[in-house]
């Protein structure tokens, strides 16, 4: 996995397998050069690559349920490229 490149981790959540706990660990506890920004009270964290406003993690805790609730492999395969393309091309929002 090359965080500074173009690689993206897509987390496939499988119900009743500890997926919620593991997904939360991906955004909160993995030691990275630039850790995910998780703010109190927010359900999603911002997981950007070093020196770029591009996400490296596609999961419910970083992008929300962008492909639907508990999307399966087929749904994710067809949905993720479009969602990431829209997110990366959208103008940056200024924090309030």
């Amino acid at each position: 996995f090359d965080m500074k490149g173009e690689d993206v981790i897509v987390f496939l959540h499988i119900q009743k397998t500890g997926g919620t706990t593991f997904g939360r660990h991906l955004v909160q506890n993995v030691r990275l050069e630039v850790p995910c920004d998780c703010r109190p009270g927010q359900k999603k964290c911002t997981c950007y690559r070093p020196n770029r406003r591009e996400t490296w993690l596609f999961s419910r805790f970083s992008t929300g349920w962008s492909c639907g609730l508990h999307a399966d492999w087929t749904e994710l395969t067809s949905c993720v490229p479009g969602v990431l393309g829209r997110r990366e091309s959208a103008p940056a929002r200024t924090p309030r």
Side-chain angles (χ1 to χ4, degrees):
F1 175 72
D2 182 10
M3 179 182 270
K4 293 181 181 178
E6 300 297 319
D7 296 344
V8 175
I9 293 176
V10 178
F11 180 66
L12 173 61
H13 181 164
I14 300 172
Q15 298 176 58
K16 306 298 181 193
T17 61
T20 299
T21 301
F22 183 74
R24 198 173 288 123
H25 281 299
L26 282 174
V27 296
Q28 293 178 347
N29 301 326
V30 176
R31 293 182 186 200
L32 304 166
E33 181 180 332
V34 178
C36 293
D37 181 20
C38 300
R39 296 176 187 234
Q42 289 186 328
K43 292 184 179 185
K44 296 186 293 186
C45 302
T46 303
C47 300
Y48 286 144
R49 299 178 191 282
N51 303 317
R52 293 189 296 189
R53 292 181 62 89
E54 295 176 3
T55 190
W56 59 269
L57 176 65
F58 191 94
S59 77
R60 84 182 248 201
F61 292 108
S62 62
T63 58
W65 294 108
S66 302
C67 293
L69 185 66
H70 300 295
D72 64 17
W73 173 260
T74 305
E75 291 169 316
L76 288 172
T77 301
S78 62
C79 172
V80 169
V83 171
L84 288 179
R86 286 190 299 276
R87 290 175 66 89
E88 305 307 324
S89 66
R93 289 195 267 175
T94 44
R96 294 180 187 192

